[in-house]
Amino acid sequence: MSTDLQKGPDTTGAAPVHALEVRGLVKHYPGVKALDGVDFHVKQHEVLGLAGENGAGKSTLLKALVGLVKPDGGDIYVRGEKVRLRSVVEAAGHGIGMVFQEQSLVPNLTAAENIVLGSEAAGVRGGLYRWKTMRALAQEQLDKIGSDINPLARTDTLTFAERQMVEIAKVLRIEQRSQHAPVIILDEPTSVLESKEIETLFAQVRRLKEFASVVFVSHRLDEVLDVCDRVTVLRGGQSVGDVATAGAVPGDLHRMMIGSTGSDDHYHDGASERGGKPLEPMLSIRGLSGATFNGVDLDVHAGEIVGIVGVHGSGREDVCRALFGAEPVSGGEVTLDGVKLALTSTRTAVAAGIGYVPAERKIEGMVGPMSVADNMTLTKQKSRCSGPLVVPRKQATLVDGWIERLSIRTPNRGTAIQRLSGGNQQKVVLARWLVAGDIKLLLLDHPTRGLDIGARSEVYRLMRELANSGVATVLLADSLEEAIGMSDRIVVMSDGRATKEVHCPSGGKPTPLDLVKEMV
């Protein structure tokens, strides 16, 4: 393994030797200074939180720490030794491992193969897998996090939440790969986990602290304060300070993140602005059935936001995908604006006036190498064309208008969307349906997943604007609090059926406990 080591200046005398330290880290991209002299450190046996708005530099910093990004300046020290981390393998050799927000598993391999990938050791003999040993090695890691996932299950058959647990089990193998006390980086590890799975993860993080150091990144500030000892806040590519979590509240972090006080009413409940709802619903579903749901009835009126909540496996995600023609149905009727639909494909859904923002934004919601402009106009080619030809000036005028209106932070319209922060990517995905201009129904599957408070507030504002313009919206929220805060009504699903409807009037909204009682 090729690694450059140099003794750090803080390892003499009584100065503590940190598990991981960054000094003056700088990273430039075309038109963007992602890191602007970042300083931070992780103490031995500490859980350090890393907070900041989307675009603050968190992702770039983490990628530098695992050898995926080469900094333009600054130094990284591991246990007092200056290192150059030029690959994930080199980082692992120093005991640094990461659970990525955007999953890095190989879909056509088993969970066991993914967990031991790159560190098979006794699991391989003579170039052949020893499946019994492989399973045992993987099961050891899965047991640590209390997961009942079958190690021999193909990864592409697992749910998003199950794949996230496999990611966590995989990074725990760093204990066997390094001779040093590990540094484990968890990037948004709870974004799709249920409350019981989150509790299991937090217990594991606290166990890791006994023999390792942990960097924990989450846009859910209450989680950061719950599981971390200390929090470092980034803003604009710079580290702006540390906060001890004892006695701190989310507002303390929010002020540092955006330079102002966070507001508890960031959901911006605007139901009263839309007045009384029309007699006939914009969307009417009767007896909709599919592989994971059965006999679902649902009405959504123009200008109304209806949340669907349910535990993992309730079928709500598949209902949403079925309404967009991305999931087959076996029975039932769907009527939109008085017209019965046969949603046999996503193309027919879009033609009928249905928009969809998927949960896995980078996989299904955008084309990473394509520009902001091309992604924004992807589903409505006529908006940028004259006849069969693209008119650059027409596209530029349209796209620049929406970039300005939505405050999308991008060097220019021609920048590849994959270079934007998560919050700005989501604005572009939402803008795609605003550009279309003829959307009647908008399906939002976890639209704020992985976004910080500021970006979430922007998404909520856009949702309200669309509702106030008459768009009917179905929301699969990131949390029960979000569903309650944003919805006019909430439909509870359990075991593939819609079992309860709860109204959410201003001043009379249900509590999360009210919904949980109906979900289980």
Side-chain angles (χ1 to χ4, degrees):
M1 183 179 299
S2 174
T3 311
D4 296 334
L5 299 177
Q6 176 183 320
K7 195 70 172 177
D10 283 348
T11 60
T12 59
V17 177
H18 298 307
L20 179 64
E21 185 173 3
V22 168
R23 301 178 190 165
L25 215 63
V26 175
K27 179 61 183 178
H28 297 270
Y29 292 112
V32 178
K33 198 169 190 177
L35 300 178
D36 189 11
V38 169
D39 297 312
F40 93 105
H41 65 274
V42 187
K43 300 175 183 177
Q44 301 278 1
H45 308 293
E46 176 186 44
V47 181
L48 175 75
L50 190 62
E53 287 195 285
N54 291 96
K58 301 190 302 296
S59 295
T60 302
L61 174 59
L62 298 183
K63 289 176 181 177
L65 295 178
V66 292
L68 289 175
V69 164
K70 180 182 178 182
D72 298 322
D75 299 309
I76 299 173
Y77 294 88
V78 180
R79 291 173 296 277
E81 302 289 343
K82 182 178 175 181
V83 300
R84 291 176 60 195
L85 304 175
R86 293 167 290 196
S87 69
V88 173
V89 173
E90 286 193 357
H94 288 288
I96 303 174
M98 179 172 169
V99 174
F100 293 88
Q101 177 182 356
E102 307 300 336
Q103 296 179 340
S104 59
L105 303 177
V106 182
N108 62 338
L109 298 183
T110 64
E113 288 173 285
N114 271 292
I115 289 170
V116 303
L117 191 63
S119 60
E120 292 85 352
V124 174
R125 176 178 292 175
L128 300 175
Y129 281 141
R130 302 171 63 195
W131 287 105
K132 185 176 180 180
T133 303
M134 288 270 288
R135 181 183 180 121
L137 291 172
Q139 190 65 57
E140 178 185 357
Q141 307 307 321
L142 291 169
D143 288 344
K144 291 179 182 177
I145 54 177
S147 174
D148 58 1
I149 295 170
N150 181 358
L152 299 184
R154 271 179 55 121
T155 304
D156 56 7
T157 66
L158 303 177
T159 65
F160 193 99
E162 289 171 334
R163 296 199 303 270
Q164 188 76 321
M165 300 304 280
V166 173
E167 288 271 16
I168 294 168
K170 176 182 177 180
V171 82
L172 292 180
R173 283 280 294 167
I174 199 98
E175 298 175 47
Q176 283 73 39
R177 297 177 67 176
S178 172
Q179 298 177 351
H180 307 289
V183 177
I184 307 297
I185 301 172
L186 303 175
D187 186 13
E188 301 284 0
T190 64
S191 59
V192 296
L193 302 185
E194 302 290 343
S195 57
K196 183 178 180 181
E197 294 169 318
I198 291 174
E199 291 173 8
T200 300
L201 172 64
F202 282 8
Q204 181 63 20
V205 169
R206 295 182 179 106
R207 186 195 74 84
L208 284 171
K209 180 181 170 181
E210 297 175 5
F211 63 90
S213 301
V214 180
V215 179
F216 183 90
V217 183
S218 175
H219 68 282
R220 298 172 178 171
L221 299 184
D222 55 338
E223 291 183 353
V224 173
L225 294 174
D226 182 17
V227 77
C228 298
D229 302 303
R230 185 170 53 90
V231 184
T232 292
V233 179
L234 300 185
R235 185 172 72 233
Q238 299 179 327
S239 42
V240 295
D242 288 351
V243 175
T245 57
V249 296
D252 297 331
L253 300 180
H254 193 216
R255 278 191 293 274
M256 295 176 68
M257 287 166 57
I258 67 173
S260 62
T261 303
S263 172
D264 290 335
D265 65 347
H266 56 278
Y267 295 117
H268 303 305
D269 182 5
S272 60
E273 298 177 20
R274 297 188 296 279
K277 62 188 179 184
L279 296 177
E280 294 299 322
M282 175 64 73
L283 171 71
S284 180
I285 302 173
R286 293 293 178 267
L288 194 67
S289 299
T292 61
F293 53 91
N294 185 44
V296 174
D297 295 337
L298 176 67
D299 288 337
V300 185
H301 295 82
E304 187 180 31
I305 298 176
V306 175
I308 305 180
V309 301
V311 298
H312 174 65
S314 64
R316 61 180 186 143
E317 288 87 358
D318 290 337
V319 167
C320 194
R321 291 177 63 84
L323 290 174
F324 193 61
E327 190 82 17
V329 298
S330 57
E333 291 185 352
V334 177
T335 302
L336 184 65
D337 199 17
V339 178
K340 287 187 179 181
L341 303 181
L343 298 176
T344 55
S345 69
T346 57
R347 183 185 295 272
T348 60
V350 172
I354 301 176
Y356 175 54
V357 175
E360 298 191 49
R361 176 177 61 247
K362 293 195 175 182
I363 298 175
E364 298 180 316
M366 65 186 216
V367 184
M370 287 176 59
S371 69
V372 168
D374 289 340
N375 270 279
M376 195 179 291
T377 55
L378 197 58
T379 59
K380 207 66 177 178
Q381 297 295 328
K382 291 182 180 179
S383 63
R384 62 173 181 169
C385 295
S386 178
L389 301 177
V390 173
V391 181
R393 184 179 300 176
K394 185 177 181 180
Q395 182 183 42
T397 301
L398 177 68
V399 170
D400 287 348
W402 282 109
I403 288 175
E404 181 179 359
R405 180 177 173 183
L406 302 182
S407 300
I408 298 172
R409 298 177 186 175
T410 178
N412 54 65
R413 78 181 84 88
T415 300
I417 192 173
Q418 63 191 7
R419 304 190 79 93
L420 273 57
S421 68
N424 287 295
Q425 289 172 352
Q426 193 71 316
K427 288 182 186 180
V428 173
V429 174
L430 279 166
R432 178 181 304 149
W433 306 113
L434 296 170
V435 167
D438 56 359
I439 292 300
K440 300 174 182 178
L441 171 66
L442 185 59
L443 308 169
L444 301 176
D445 188 355
H446 293 81
T448 63
R449 175 176 290 166
L451 306 187
D452 59 67
I453 288 178
R456 274 184 281 158
S457 294
E458 285 293 306
V459 171
Y460 298 149
R461 180 181 62 81
L462 290 176
M463 289 171 60
R464 285 301 181 197
E465 283 188 10
L466 285 164
N468 290 334
S469 70
V471 173
T473 303
V474 174
L475 170 65
L476 307 188
D478 204 41
S479 66
L480 291 178
E481 290 80 5
E482 182 176 87
I484 293 167
M486 289 302 299
S487 301
D488 301 297
R489 283 185 296 120
I490 292 176
V491 172
V492 180
M493 286 194 65
S494 178
D495 296 326
R497 294 181 177 274
T499 58
K500 182 75 173 180
E501 180 177 294
V502 181
H503 288 269
C504 303
S506 297
K509 290 184 178 289
T511 67
L513 183 58
D514 294 331
L515 298 180
V516 170
K517 290 177 180 177
E518 302 294 338
M519 291 164 54
V520 298

